[in-house]
PDB file of all heavy atoms in Angstrom:
ATOM      1  N   PHE X   1       3.903   6.704   1.923  1.00 97.00           N
ATOM      2  CA  PHE X   1       4.524   6.010   3.065  1.00 97.00           C
ATOM      3  C   PHE X   1       5.932   5.559   2.704  1.00 97.00           C
ATOM      4  O   PHE X   1       6.886   5.780   3.467  1.00 97.00           O
ATOM      5  CB  PHE X   1       3.643   4.822   3.456  1.00 97.00           C
ATOM      6  CG  PHE X   1       3.997   4.185   4.769  1.00 97.00           C
ATOM      7  CD1 PHE X   1       3.466   4.660   5.955  1.00 97.00           C
ATOM      8  CD2 PHE X   1       4.857   3.092   4.821  1.00 97.00           C
ATOM      9  CE1 PHE X   1       3.781   4.064   7.168  1.00 97.00           C
ATOM     10  CE2 PHE X   1       5.174   2.492   6.026  1.00 97.00           C
ATOM     11  CZ  PHE X   1       4.636   2.979   7.202  1.00 97.00           C
ATOM     12  N   ARG X   2       6.095   4.952   1.531  1.00 97.00           N
ATOM     13  CA  ARG X   2       7.418   4.473   1.114  1.00 97.00           C
ATOM     14  C   ARG X   2       8.379   5.640   0.904  1.00 97.00           C
ATOM     15  O   ARG X   2       9.563   5.567   1.287  1.00 97.00           O
ATOM     16  CB  ARG X   2       7.292   3.641  -0.167  1.00 97.00           C
ATOM     17  CG  ARG X   2       6.643   2.280   0.046  1.00 97.00           C
ATOM     18  CD  ARG X   2       6.807   1.403  -1.183  1.00 97.00           C
ATOM     19  NE  ARG X   2       6.138   1.981  -2.347  1.00 97.00           N
ATOM     20  CZ  ARG X   2       4.879   1.716  -2.691  1.00 97.00           C
ATOM     21  NH1 ARG X   2       4.148   0.924  -1.929  1.00 97.00           N
ATOM     22  NH2 ARG X   2       4.367   2.249  -3.786  1.00 97.00           N
ATOM     23  N   THR X   3       7.893   6.710   0.303  1.00 96.00           N
ATOM     24  CA  THR X   3       8.752   7.871   0.062  1.00 96.00           C
ATOM     25  C   THR X   3       9.259   8.455   1.375  1.00 96.00           C
ATOM     26  O   THR X   3      10.445   8.785   1.514  1.00 96.00           O
ATOM     27  CB  THR X   3       7.996   8.947  -0.730  1.00 96.00           C
ATOM     28  OG1 THR X   3       7.626   8.410  -2.009  1.00 96.00           O
ATOM     29  CG2 THR X   3       8.851  10.188  -0.941  1.00 96.00           C
ATOM     30  N   LEU X   4       8.374   8.573   2.357  1.00 97.00           N
ATOM     31  CA  LEU X   4       8.788   9.134   3.642  1.00 97.00           C
ATOM     32  C   LEU X   4       9.704   8.174   4.397  1.00 97.00           C
ATOM     33  O   LEU X   4      10.625   8.620   5.106  1.00 97.00           O
ATOM     34  CB  LEU X   4       7.557   9.477   4.482  1.00 97.00           C
ATOM     35  CG  LEU X   4       6.751  10.683   3.984  1.00 97.00           C
ATOM     36  CD1 LEU X   4       5.542  10.940   4.875  1.00 97.00           C
ATOM     37  CD2 LEU X   4       7.614  11.939   3.914  1.00 97.00           C
ATOM     38  N   GLN X   5       9.492   6.872   4.260  1.00 97.00           N
ATOM     39  CA  GLN X   5      10.436   5.922   4.854  1.00 97.00           C
ATOM     40  C   GLN X   5      11.839   6.143   4.289  1.00 97.00           C
ATOM     41  O   GLN X   5      12.823   6.168   5.035  1.00 97.00           O
ATOM     42  CB  GLN X   5       9.994   4.488   4.593  1.00 97.00           C
ATOM     43  CG  GLN X   5       8.919   3.965   5.527  1.00 97.00           C
ATOM     44  CD  GLN X   5       8.604   2.512   5.275  1.00 97.00           C
ATOM     45  OE1 GLN X   5       8.604   2.047   4.134  1.00 97.00           O
ATOM     46  NE2 GLN X   5       8.322   1.765   6.341  1.00 97.00           N
ATOM     47  N   HIS X   6      11.947   6.322   2.999  1.00 96.00           N
ATOM     48  CA  HIS X   6      13.252   6.559   2.372  1.00 96.00           C
ATOM     49  C   HIS X   6      13.864   7.879   2.827  1.00 96.00           C
ATOM     50  O   HIS X   6      15.092   8.040   2.796  1.00 96.00           O
ATOM     51  CB  HIS X   6      13.113   6.549   0.845  1.00 96.00           C
ATOM     52  CG  HIS X   6      12.736   5.213   0.287  1.00 96.00           C
ATOM     53  ND1 HIS X   6      12.113   5.047  -0.929  1.00 96.00           N
ATOM     54  CD2 HIS X   6      12.869   3.959   0.805  1.00 96.00           C
ATOM     55  CE1 HIS X   6      11.892   3.765  -1.143  1.00 96.00           C
ATOM     56  NE2 HIS X   6      12.343   3.088  -0.103  1.00 96.00           N
ATOM     57  N   ALA X   7      13.007   8.829   3.247  1.00 95.00           N
ATOM     58  CA  ALA X   7      13.496  10.132   3.703  1.00 95.00           C
ATOM     59  C   ALA X   7      13.816  10.151   5.195  1.00 95.00           C
ATOM     60  O   ALA X   7      14.188  11.194   5.731  1.00 95.00           O
ATOM     61  CB  ALA X   7      12.461  11.215   3.380  1.00 95.00           C
ATOM     62  N   GLY X   8      13.671   9.007   5.877  1.00 94.00           N
ATOM     63  CA  GLY X   8      14.047   8.930   7.287  1.00 94.00           C
ATOM     64  C   GLY X   8      12.893   8.917   8.255  1.00 94.00           C
ATOM     65  O   GLY X   8      13.112   8.948   9.480  1.00 94.00           O
ATOM     66  N   PHE X   9      11.638   8.865   7.789  1.00 97.00           N
ATOM     67  CA  PHE X   9      10.486   8.762   8.673  1.00 97.00           C
ATOM     68  C   PHE X   9      10.243   7.293   9.024  1.00 97.00           C
ATOM     69  O   PHE X   9      10.557   6.398   8.252  1.00 97.00           O
ATOM     70  CB  PHE X   9       9.237   9.326   8.002  1.00 97.00           C
ATOM     71  CG  PHE X   9       9.158  10.828   7.973  1.00 97.00           C
ATOM     72  CD1 PHE X   9       9.961  11.560   7.106  1.00 97.00           C
ATOM     73  CD2 PHE X   9       8.270  11.503   8.791  1.00 97.00           C
ATOM     74  CE1 PHE X   9       9.884  12.936   7.064  1.00 97.00           C
ATOM     75  CE2 PHE X   9       8.181  12.888   8.753  1.00 97.00           C
ATOM     76  CZ  PHE X   9       8.996  13.607   7.892  1.00 97.00           C
ATOM     77  N   GLN X  10       9.644   7.054  10.186  1.00 97.00           N
ATOM     78  CA  GLN X  10       9.307   5.703  10.632  1.00 97.00           C
ATOM     79  C   GLN X  10       7.841   5.667  11.022  1.00 97.00           C
ATOM     80  O   GLN X  10       7.366   6.534  11.756  1.00 97.00           O
ATOM     81  CB  GLN X  10      10.165   5.292  11.829  1.00 97.00           C
ATOM     82  CG  GLN X  10       9.793   3.967  12.458  1.00 97.00           C
ATOM     83  CD  GLN X  10      10.018   2.791  11.509  1.00 97.00           C
ATOM     84  OE1 GLN X  10      10.946   2.803  10.716  1.00 97.00           O
ATOM     85  NE2 GLN X  10       9.162   1.788  11.586  1.00 97.00           N
ATOM     86  N   GLY X  11       7.104   4.678  10.537  1.00 97.00           N
ATOM     87  CA  GLY X  11       5.691   4.570  10.866  1.00 97.00           C
ATOM     88  C   GLY X  11       5.459   3.915  12.212  1.00 97.00           C
ATOM     89  O   GLY X  11       6.199   3.004  12.612  1.00 97.00           O
ATOM     90  N   PHE X  12       4.417   4.361  12.917  1.00 96.00           N
ATOM     91  CA  PHE X  12       3.973   3.639  14.105  1.00 96.00           C
ATOM     92  C   PHE X  12       3.267   2.355  13.694  1.00 96.00           C
ATOM     93  O   PHE X  12       3.191   1.395  14.464  1.00 96.00           O
ATOM     94  CB  PHE X  12       3.037   4.518  14.935  1.00 96.00           C
ATOM     95  CG  PHE X  12       3.724   5.677  15.594  1.00 96.00           C
ATOM     96  CD1 PHE X  12       3.539   6.972  15.132  1.00 96.00           C
ATOM     97  CD2 PHE X  12       4.559   5.490  16.669  1.00 96.00           C
ATOM     98  CE1 PHE X  12       4.161   8.044  15.731  1.00 96.00           C
ATOM     99  CE2 PHE X  12       5.198   6.549  17.292  1.00 96.00           C
ATOM    100  CZ  PHE X  12       4.999   7.840  16.820  1.00 96.00           C
ATOM    101  N   SER X  13       2.713   2.355  12.481  1.00 95.00           N
ATOM    102  CA  SER X  13       2.119   1.163  11.887  1.00 95.00           C
ATOM    103  C   SER X  13       2.167   1.368  10.374  1.00 95.00           C
ATOM    104  O   SER X  13       2.369   2.483   9.890  1.00 95.00           O
ATOM    105  CB  SER X  13       0.661   0.980  12.333  1.00 95.00           C
ATOM    106  OG  SER X  13      -0.160   1.991  11.757  1.00 95.00           O
ATOM    107  N   ASP X  14       2.007   0.302   9.621  1.00 97.00           N
ATOM    108  CA  ASP X  14       1.770   0.458   8.198  1.00 97.00           C
ATOM    109  C   ASP X  14       0.377   1.061   8.011  1.00 97.00           C
ATOM    110  O   ASP X  14      -0.439   1.067   8.945  1.00 97.00           O
ATOM    111  CB  ASP X  14       1.872  -0.894   7.496  1.00 97.00           C
ATOM    112  CG  ASP X  14       3.314  -1.386   7.395  1.00 97.00           C
ATOM    113  OD1 ASP X  14       4.243  -0.563   7.564  1.00 97.00           O
ATOM    114  OD2 ASP X  14       3.516  -2.594   7.159  1.00 97.00           O
ATOM    115  N   PRO X  15       0.070   1.579   6.816  1.00 97.00           N
ATOM    116  CA  PRO X  15      -1.266   2.156   6.605  1.00 97.00           C
ATOM    117  C   PRO X  15      -2.375   1.162   6.939  1.00 97.00           C
ATOM    118  O   PRO X  15      -2.299  -0.021   6.591  1.00 97.00           O
ATOM    119  CB  PRO X  15      -1.256   2.503   5.107  1.00 97.00           C
ATOM    120  CG  PRO X  15       0.186   2.766   4.801  1.00 97.00           C
ATOM    121  CD  PRO X  15       0.948   1.769   5.638  1.00 97.00           C
ATOM    122  N   VAL X  16      -3.393   1.664   7.636  1.00 96.00           N
ATOM    123  CA  VAL X  16      -4.536   0.827   8.015  1.00 96.00           C
ATOM    124  C   VAL X  16      -5.815   1.456   7.468  1.00 96.00           C
ATOM    125  O   VAL X  16      -5.921   2.677   7.348  1.00 96.00           O
ATOM    126  CB  VAL X  16      -4.636   0.658   9.547  1.00 96.00           C
ATOM    127  CG1 VAL X  16      -3.462  -0.124  10.085  1.00 96.00           C
ATOM    128  CG2 VAL X  16      -4.735   2.010  10.253  1.00 96.00           C
ATOM    129  N   GLU X  17      -6.769   0.606   7.147  1.00 94.00           N
ATOM    130  CA  GLU X  17      -8.050   1.067   6.604  1.00 94.00           C
ATOM    131  C   GLU X  17      -9.133   0.857   7.640  1.00 94.00           C
ATOM    132  O   GLU X  17      -9.179  -0.178   8.320  1.00 94.00           O
ATOM    133  CB  GLU X  17      -8.387   0.309   5.322  1.00 94.00           C
ATOM    134  CG  GLU X  17      -9.671   0.782   4.646  1.00 94.00           C
ATOM    135  CD  GLU X  17      -9.883   0.176   3.280  1.00 94.00           C
ATOM    136  OE1 GLU X  17      -8.862  -0.052   2.572  1.00 94.00           O
ATOM    137  OE2 GLU X  17     -11.047  -0.080   2.908  1.00 94.00           O
ATOM    138  N   PHE X  18     -10.024   1.852   7.771  1.00 87.00           N
ATOM    139  CA  PHE X  18     -11.133   1.723   8.703  1.00 87.00           C
ATOM    140  C   PHE X  18     -12.230   2.698   8.307  1.00 87.00           C
ATOM    141  O   PHE X  18     -12.037   3.559   7.429  1.00 87.00           O
ATOM    142  CB  PHE X  18     -10.675   1.966  10.153  1.00 87.00           C
ATOM    143  CG  PHE X  18     -10.019   3.302  10.388  1.00 87.00           C
ATOM    144  CD1 PHE X  18     -10.751   4.389  10.833  1.00 87.00           C
ATOM    145  CD2 PHE X  18      -8.651   3.465  10.171  1.00 87.00           C
ATOM    146  CE1 PHE X  18     -10.138   5.619  11.055  1.00 87.00           C
ATOM    147  CE2 PHE X  18      -8.032   4.687  10.391  1.00 87.00           C
ATOM    148  CZ  PHE X  18      -8.783   5.764  10.834  1.00 87.00           C
ATOM    149  N   VAL X  19     -13.368   2.570   8.930  1.00 83.00           N
ATOM    150  CA  VAL X  19     -14.509   3.438   8.665  1.00 83.00           C
ATOM    151  C   VAL X  19     -14.600   4.473   9.776  1.00 83.00           C
ATOM    152  O   VAL X  19     -14.620   4.135  10.967  1.00 83.00           O
ATOM    153  CB  VAL X  19     -15.815   2.638   8.577  1.00 83.00           C
ATOM    154  CG1 VAL X  19     -17.013   3.574   8.440  1.00 83.00           C
ATOM    155  CG2 VAL X  19     -15.763   1.681   7.391  1.00 83.00           C
ATOM    156  N   ALA X  20     -14.603   5.750   9.374  1.00 76.00           N
ATOM    157  CA  ALA X  20     -14.836   6.863  10.291  1.00 76.00           C
ATOM    158  C   ALA X  20     -16.054   7.593   9.744  1.00 76.00           C
ATOM    159  O   ALA X  20     -15.921   8.463   8.890  1.00 76.00           O
ATOM    160  CB  ALA X  20     -13.624   7.782  10.342  1.00 76.00           C
ATOM    161  N   PRO X  21     -17.254   7.157  10.169  1.00 74.00           N
ATOM    162  CA  PRO X  21     -18.487   7.624   9.522  1.00 74.00           C
ATOM    163  C   PRO X  21     -18.492   9.141   9.314  1.00 74.00           C
ATOM    164  O   PRO X  21     -18.119   9.885  10.225  1.00 74.00           O
ATOM    165  CB  PRO X  21     -19.574   7.214  10.514  1.00 74.00           C
ATOM    166  CG  PRO X  21     -18.985   6.041  11.239  1.00 74.00           C
ATOM    167  CD  PRO X  21     -17.521   6.347  11.350  1.00 74.00           C
ATOM    168  N   PRO X  22     -18.838   9.599   8.110  1.00 80.00           N
ATOM    169  CA  PRO X  22     -19.395   8.826   6.987  1.00 80.00           C
ATOM    170  C   PRO X  22     -18.337   8.392   5.969  1.00 80.00           C
ATOM    171  O   PRO X  22     -18.673   8.114   4.823  1.00 80.00           O
ATOM    172  CB  PRO X  22     -20.339   9.841   6.342  1.00 80.00           C
ATOM    173  CG  PRO X  22     -19.624  11.156   6.529  1.00 80.00           C
ATOM    174  CD  PRO X  22     -18.932  11.059   7.874  1.00 80.00           C
ATOM    175  N   PHE X  23     -17.048   8.350   6.362  1.00 84.00           N
ATOM    176  CA  PHE X  23     -15.983   8.095   5.398  1.00 84.00           C
ATOM    177  C   PHE X  23     -15.329   6.731   5.632  1.00 84.00           C
ATOM    178  O   PHE X  23     -15.291   6.230   6.761  1.00 84.00           O
ATOM    179  CB  PHE X  23     -14.889   9.172   5.512  1.00 84.00           C
ATOM    180  CG  PHE X  23     -15.421  10.572   5.385  1.00 84.00           C
ATOM    181  CD1 PHE X  23     -15.341  11.453   6.463  1.00 84.00           C
ATOM    182  CD2 PHE X  23     -15.979  11.024   4.202  1.00 84.00           C
ATOM    183  CE1 PHE X  23     -15.818  12.751   6.356  1.00 84.00           C
ATOM    184  CE2 PHE X  23     -16.463  12.318   4.083  1.00 84.00           C
ATOM    185  CZ  PHE X  23     -16.388  13.179   5.168  1.00 84.00           C
ATOM    186  N   ARG X  24     -14.807   6.163   4.546  1.00 90.00           N
ATOM    187  CA  ARG X  24     -13.873   5.037   4.634  1.00 90.00           C
ATOM    188  C   ARG X  24     -12.494   5.578   4.278  1.00 90.00           C
ATOM    189  O   ARG X  24     -12.319   6.204   3.232  1.00 90.00           O
ATOM    190  CB  ARG X  24     -14.273   3.908   3.683  1.00 90.00           C
ATOM    191  CG  ARG X  24     -13.391   2.665   3.793  1.00 90.00           C
ATOM    192  CD  ARG X  24     -14.079   1.452   3.179  1.00 90.00           C
ATOM    193  NE  ARG X  24     -14.375   1.657   1.765  1.00 90.00           N
ATOM    194  CZ  ARG X  24     -13.559   1.317   0.761  1.00 90.00           C
ATOM    195  NH1 ARG X  24     -12.381   0.751   1.032  1.00 90.00           N
ATOM    196  NH2 ARG X  24     -13.900   1.527  -0.480  1.00 90.00           N
ATOM    197  N   VAL X  25     -11.520   5.367   5.161  1.00 93.00           N
ATOM    198  CA  VAL X  25     -10.224   6.027   5.023  1.00 93.00           C
ATOM    199  C   VAL X  25      -9.092   5.026   5.203  1.00 93.00           C
ATOM    200  O   VAL X  25      -9.286   3.922   5.721  1.00 93.00           O
ATOM    201  CB  VAL X  25     -10.070   7.169   6.061  1.00 93.00           C
ATOM    202  CG1 VAL X  25     -11.148   8.215   5.889  1.00 93.00           C
ATOM    203  CG2 VAL X  25     -10.085   6.615   7.487  1.00 93.00           C
ATOM    204  N   ARG X  26      -7.913   5.431   4.765  1.00 96.00           N
ATOM    205  CA  ARG X  26      -6.671   4.750   5.102  1.00 96.00           C
ATOM    206  C   ARG X  26      -5.765   5.782   5.751  1.00 96.00           C
ATOM    207  O   ARG X  26      -5.651   6.928   5.269  1.00 96.00           O
ATOM    208  CB  ARG X  26      -6.000   4.143   3.872  1.00 96.00           C
ATOM    209  CG  ARG X  26      -6.825   3.049   3.200  1.00 96.00           C
ATOM    210  CD  ARG X  26      -6.002   2.326   2.156  1.00 96.00           C
ATOM    211  NE  ARG X  26      -5.013   1.456   2.784  1.00 96.00           N
ATOM    212  CZ  ARG X  26      -3.841   1.128   2.231  1.00 96.00           C
ATOM    213  NH1 ARG X  26      -3.488   1.633   1.056  1.00 96.00           N
ATOM    214  NH2 ARG X  26      -3.005   0.323   2.869  1.00 96.00           N
ATOM    215  N   GLU X  27      -5.120   5.407   6.845  1.00 97.00           N
ATOM    216  CA  GLU X  27      -4.281   6.348   7.582  1.00 97.00           C
ATOM    217  C   GLU X  27      -3.018   5.661   8.079  1.00 97.00           C
ATOM    218  O   GLU X  27      -2.962   4.443   8.239  1.00 97.00           O
ATOM    219  CB  GLU X  27      -5.039   6.949   8.778  1.00 97.00           C
ATOM    220  CG  GLU X  27      -6.166   7.881   8.406  1.00 97.00           C
ATOM    221  CD  GLU X  27      -6.677   8.660   9.599  1.00 97.00           C
ATOM    222  OE1 GLU X  27      -5.840   9.104  10.424  1.00 97.00           O
ATOM    223  OE2 GLU X  27      -7.898   8.839   9.719  1.00 97.00           O
ATOM    224  N   ALA X  28      -2.017   6.491   8.339  1.00 97.00           N
ATOM    225  CA  ALA X  28      -0.792   6.059   9.008  1.00 97.00           C
ATOM    226  C   ALA X  28      -0.193   7.278   9.681  1.00 97.00           C
ATOM    227  O   ALA X  28      -0.377   8.416   9.218  1.00 97.00           O
ATOM    228  CB  ALA X  28       0.203   5.450   8.025  1.00 97.00           C
ATOM    229  N   MET X  29       0.516   7.059  10.780  1.00 97.00           N
ATOM    230  CA  MET X  29       1.268   8.129  11.421  1.00 97.00           C
ATOM    231  C   MET X  29       2.746   7.794  11.342  1.00 97.00           C
ATOM    232  O   MET X  29       3.147   6.664  11.632  1.00 97.00           O
ATOM    233  CB  MET X  29       0.836   8.303  12.884  1.00 97.00           C
ATOM    234  CG  MET X  29      -0.487   9.027  13.038  1.00 97.00           C
ATOM    235  SD  MET X  29      -0.804   9.540  14.743  1.00 97.00           S
ATOM    236  CE  MET X  29      -1.220   7.968  15.480  1.00 97.00           C
ATOM    237  N   MET X  30       3.553   8.805  10.969  1.00 98.00           N
ATOM    238  CA  MET X  30       4.986   8.596  10.807  1.00 98.00           C
ATOM    239  C   MET X  30       5.739   9.684  11.563  1.00 98.00           C
ATOM    240  O   MET X  30       5.376  10.861  11.524  1.00 98.00           O
ATOM    241  CB  MET X  30       5.371   8.652   9.321  1.00 98.00           C
ATOM    242  CG  MET X  30       4.593   7.687   8.439  1.00 98.00           C
ATOM    243  SD  MET X  30       5.268   7.589   6.764  1.00 98.00           S
ATOM    244  CE  MET X  30       6.712   6.540   7.049  1.00 98.00           C
ATOM    245  N   VAL X  31       6.793   9.265  12.258  1.00 97.00           N
ATOM    246  CA  VAL X  31       7.627  10.214  12.987  1.00 97.00           C
ATOM    247  C   VAL X  31       8.919  10.424  12.208  1.00 97.00           C
ATOM    248  O   VAL X  31       9.553   9.472  11.758  1.00 97.00           O
ATOM    249  CB  VAL X  31       7.901   9.737  14.435  1.00 97.00           C
ATOM    250  CG1 VAL X  31       8.586   8.386  14.470  1.00 97.00           C
ATOM    251  CG2 VAL X  31       8.722  10.779  15.196  1.00 97.00           C
ATOM    252  N   GLY X  32       9.286  11.693  12.021  1.00 96.00           N
ATOM    253  CA  GLY X  32      10.443  12.030  11.213  1.00 96.00           C
ATOM    254  C   GLY X  32      11.556  12.654  12.022  1.00 96.00           C
ATOM    255  O   GLY X  32      11.557  12.617  13.265  1.00 96.00           O
ATOM    256  N   PRO X  33      12.526  13.260  11.339  1.00 93.00           N
ATOM    257  CA  PRO X  33      13.641  13.908  12.027  1.00 93.00           C
ATOM    258  C   PRO X  33      13.142  14.941  13.033  1.00 93.00           C
ATOM    259  O   PRO X  33      12.173  15.661  12.778  1.00 93.00           O
ATOM    260  CB  PRO X  33      14.413  14.558  10.875  1.00 93.00           C
ATOM    261  CG  PRO X  33      14.086  13.731   9.676  1.00 93.00           C
ATOM    262  CD  PRO X  33      12.663  13.305   9.873  1.00 93.00           C
ATOM    263  N   ASP X  34      13.814  14.985  14.175  1.00 95.00           N
ATOM    264  CA  ASP X  34      13.487  15.902  15.275  1.00 95.00           C
ATOM    265  C   ASP X  34      12.132  15.598  15.908  1.00 95.00           C
ATOM    266  O   ASP X  34      11.617  16.411  16.671  1.00 95.00           O
ATOM    267  CB  ASP X  34      13.550  17.365  14.830  1.00 95.00           C
ATOM    268  CG  ASP X  34      14.934  17.773  14.356  1.00 95.00           C
ATOM    269  OD1 ASP X  34      15.922  17.296  14.965  1.00 95.00           O
ATOM    270  OD2 ASP X  34      15.044  18.531  13.380  1.00 95.00           O
ATOM    271  N   GLY X  35      11.549  14.438  15.586  1.00 96.00           N
ATOM    272  CA  GLY X  35      10.344  14.006  16.277  1.00 96.00           C
ATOM    273  C   GLY X  35       9.036  14.533  15.730  1.00 96.00           C
ATOM    274  O   GLY X  35       7.987  14.311  16.345  1.00 96.00           O
ATOM    275  N   LEU X  36       9.052  15.215  14.594  1.00 97.00           N
ATOM    276  CA  LEU X  36       7.802  15.708  14.020  1.00 97.00           C
ATOM    277  C   LEU X  36       6.988  14.536  13.475  1.00 97.00           C
ATOM    278  O   LEU X  36       7.485  13.744  12.675  1.00 97.00           O
ATOM    279  CB  LEU X  36       8.073  16.710  12.898  1.00 97.00           C
ATOM    280  CG  LEU X  36       6.829  17.216  12.161  1.00 97.00           C
ATOM    281  CD1 LEU X  36       5.917  18.002  13.092  1.00 97.00           C
ATOM    282  CD2 LEU X  36       7.221  18.065  10.953  1.00 97.00           C
ATOM    283  N   VAL X  37       5.729  14.432  13.911  1.00 98.00           N
ATOM    284  CA  VAL X  37       4.839  13.374  13.459  1.00 98.00           C
ATOM    285  C   VAL X  37       3.905  13.917  12.385  1.00 98.00           C
ATOM    286  O   VAL X  37       3.265  14.961  12.570  1.00 98.00           O
ATOM    287  CB  VAL X  37       4.023  12.800  14.633  1.00 98.00           C
ATOM    288  CG1 VAL X  37       2.933  11.844  14.128  1.00 98.00           C
ATOM    289  CG2 VAL X  37       4.940  12.074  15.612  1.00 98.00           C
ATOM    290  N   LEU X  38       3.842  13.217  11.253  1.00 98.00           N
ATOM    291  CA  LEU X  38       2.879  13.517  10.200  1.00 98.00           C
ATOM    292  C   LEU X  38       1.860  12.387  10.145  1.00 98.00           C
ATOM    293  O   LEU X  38       2.231  11.213  10.009  1.00 98.00           O
ATOM    294  CB  LEU X  38       3.568  13.652   8.847  1.00 98.00           C
ATOM    295  CG  LEU X  38       4.469  14.866   8.640  1.00 98.00           C
ATOM    296  CD1 LEU X  38       5.060  14.848   7.234  1.00 98.00           C
ATOM    297  CD2 LEU X  38       3.704  16.174   8.870  1.00 98.00           C
ATOM    298  N   GLY X  39       0.588  12.731  10.264  1.00 97.00           N
ATOM    299  CA  GLY X  39      -0.480  11.781  10.064  1.00 97.00           C
ATOM    300  C   GLY X  39      -0.936  11.849   8.618  1.00 97.00           C
ATOM    301  O   GLY X  39      -1.319  12.914   8.132  1.00 97.00           O
ATOM    302  N   LEU X  40      -0.878  10.718   7.915  1.00 97.00           N
ATOM    303  CA  LEU X  40      -1.245  10.654   6.503  1.00 97.00           C
ATOM    304  C   LEU X  40      -2.682  10.164   6.391  1.00 97.00           C
ATOM    305  O   LEU X  40      -3.040   9.142   6.965  1.00 97.00           O
ATOM    306  CB  LEU X  40      -0.326   9.692   5.746  1.00 97.00           C
ATOM    307  CG  LEU X  40       1.184   9.829   5.981  1.00 97.00           C
ATOM    308  CD1 LEU X  40       1.929   8.778   5.170  1.00 97.00           C
ATOM    309  CD2 LEU X  40       1.666  11.232   5.639  1.00 97.00           C
ATOM    310  N   LEU X  41      -3.509  10.892   5.650  1.00 95.00           N
ATOM    311  CA  LEU X  41      -4.923  10.552   5.509  1.00 95.00           C
ATOM    312  C   LEU X  41      -5.287  10.459   4.032  1.00 95.00           C
ATOM    313  O   LEU X  41      -5.164  11.442   3.294  1.00 95.00           O
ATOM    314  CB  LEU X  41      -5.801  11.601   6.189  1.00 95.00           C
ATOM    315  CG  LEU X  41      -7.309  11.516   5.920  1.00 95.00           C
ATOM    316  CD1 LEU X  41      -7.878  10.205   6.434  1.00 95.00           C
ATOM    317  CD2 LEU X  41      -8.027  12.706   6.542  1.00 95.00           C
ATOM    318  N   GLU X  42      -5.706   9.265   3.603  1.00 94.00           N
ATOM    319  CA  GLU X  42      -6.272   9.078   2.267  1.00 94.00           C
ATOM    320  C   GLU X  42      -7.737   8.694   2.428  1.00 94.00           C
ATOM    321  O   GLU X  42      -8.057   7.737   3.147  1.00 94.00           O
ATOM    322  CB  GLU X  42      -5.543   7.982   1.499  1.00 94.00           C
ATOM    323  CG  GLU X  42      -6.121   7.773   0.095  1.00 94.00           C
ATOM    324  CD  GLU X  42      -5.399   6.695  -0.694  1.00 94.00           C
ATOM    325  OE1 GLU X  42      -4.675   5.880  -0.078  1.00 94.00           O
ATOM    326  OE2 GLU X  42      -5.562   6.661  -1.926  1.00 94.00           O
ATOM    327  N   ARG X  43      -8.606   9.444   1.793  1.00 92.00           N
ATOM    328  CA  ARG X  43     -10.024   9.132   1.866  1.00 92.00           C
ATOM    329  C   ARG X  43     -10.377   8.215   0.694  1.00 92.00           C
ATOM    330  O   ARG X  43     -10.252   8.604  -0.461  1.00 92.00           O
ATOM    331  CB  ARG X  43     -10.864  10.405   1.846  1.00 92.00           C
ATOM    332  CG  ARG X  43     -12.195  10.237   2.551  1.00 92.00           C
ATOM    333  CD  ARG X  43     -12.839  11.545   2.893  1.00 92.00           C
ATOM    334  NE  ARG X  43     -13.319  12.241   1.702  1.00 92.00           N
ATOM    335  CZ  ARG X  43     -13.702  13.511   1.699  1.00 92.00           C
ATOM    336  NH1 ARG X  43     -13.626  14.230   2.814  1.00 92.00           N
ATOM    337  NH2 ARG X  43     -14.144  14.079   0.597  1.00 92.00           N
TER     338      ARG X  43
END
């Protein structure tokens, strides 16, 4: 998240943790140059 912020991406939120059965995950969505959105998923 920090690396992409330095590269010009902006998060819709900071990383959030939640349960998506059967997994516990942390996710964030970031919009970068030209509007491309990358969703980051850490299990």
Side-chain angles (χ1 to χ4, degrees):
F1 192 87
R2 288 192 297 269
T3 298
L4 289 180
Q5 279 184 323
H6 294 157
F9 283 74
Q10 174 65 34
F12 291 107
S13 69
D14 287 343
V16 294
E17 183 171 326
F18 57 94
V19 174
F23 306 116
R24 184 162 60 91
V25 300
R26 296 190 73 208
E27 291 192 41
M29 283 193 286
M30 305 190 77
V31 59
D34 299 323
L36 176 64
V37 171
L38 291 181
L40 313 179
L41 170 62
E42 180 179 17
R43 207 163 70 193

